[in-house]
Amino acid sequence: MPSTTITIVKAEMTDAAVLLEFSETTFFHFFGPLNDAANMEAYASVAFTSQKMLSELINPDSEFYFAMIGEEIAGYLKLNFNDAQTEFQDPAAMEVERIYVSKDHQRKGIGQQLLDFAIATATNKNFNYVWLGVWENNHNALAFYRHNGFEVFSSHEFLLGDDKQTDLLMKKSLN
């Protein structure tokens, strides 16, 4: 599969509204058809607010990056360190909390480039491993991460509205 050339740009506070819209749109595109609409809306009412996005952007232990094709946002990535990690808060680890690529740019190697960037960031910051959570029913994502050397090491519950779902936690050692 040929890769589309992207530029990876760190998101800033001034990008909050654009990042919020892009993240909500991609989330609904990928998970909306697989879940109850009421549960999607209930989750969105908490997860996709301006206040939540600003609090995530201002956190010094979180970083957002856009995958750009020219002036167009093709995807984004969220990395968490230290206390910003959604689980463990292991100072030896970095969490990849989100990697999303827009529906128009699927199968162009953009997700791979974002993951490679995340792993390079973790290596440069001397982390021992990278971890992430993947919905157990997201078979394409699970295959993608396994192909990239991630292994399931645990799981946790994820509440989408009132639907209790299971995320598989996967990690990749860096040394």
Side-chain angles (χ1 to χ4, degrees), residues 61-65 77-99 115 118-119 121-122 125 127 129-134 150 153 156 167-172 174:
D61 288 329
S62 290
E63 296 176 357
F64 285 90
Y65 295 91
L77 167 70
K78 182 182 182 201
L79 306 176
N80 292 326
F81 319 97
N82 302 315
D83 292 343
Q85 294 176 83
T86 57
E87 302 265 332
F88 319 111
Q89 289 85 37
D90 184 347
M94 182 186 83
E95 176 189 16
V96 177
E97 185 179 352
R98 299 179 207 145
I99 291 183
L115 183 60
I119 291 168
T121 299
K125 293 180 182 269
F127 289 111
Y129 64 97
V130 175
W131 71 275
L132 47 83
V134 181
F150 284 79
F153 71 97
H156 71 179
D167 278 352
L168 300 178
L169 302 182
M170 303 181 81
K171 75 177 178 179
K172 177 183 175 108
L174 300 177

Side-chain angles (χ1 to χ4, degrees), residues 23-41:
S23 62
E24 185 171 16
T25 298
T26 54
F27 185 82
F28 270 85
H29 171 76
F30 290 106
F31 298 112
L34 304 172
N35 289 283
D36 176 76
N39 284 328
M40 290 291 293
E41 289 298 332

Side-chain angles (χ1 to χ4, degrees), residues 7-12 19 22 57 62-68 73 75-79 81 94 98-100 114 117-118 121 125:
T7 304
I8 298 176
V9 178
K10 189 172 184 182
E12 303 297 336
L19 179 59
F22 188 87
L57 276 166
S62 290
E63 296 176 357
F64 285 90
Y65 295 91
F66 290 119
M68 305 295 297
I73 299 171
Y76 84 102
L77 167 70
K78 182 182 182 201
L79 306 176
F81 319 97
M94 182 186 83
R98 299 179 207 145
I99 291 183
Y100 284 97
L114 286 169
F117 176 83
T121 299
K125 293 180 182 269

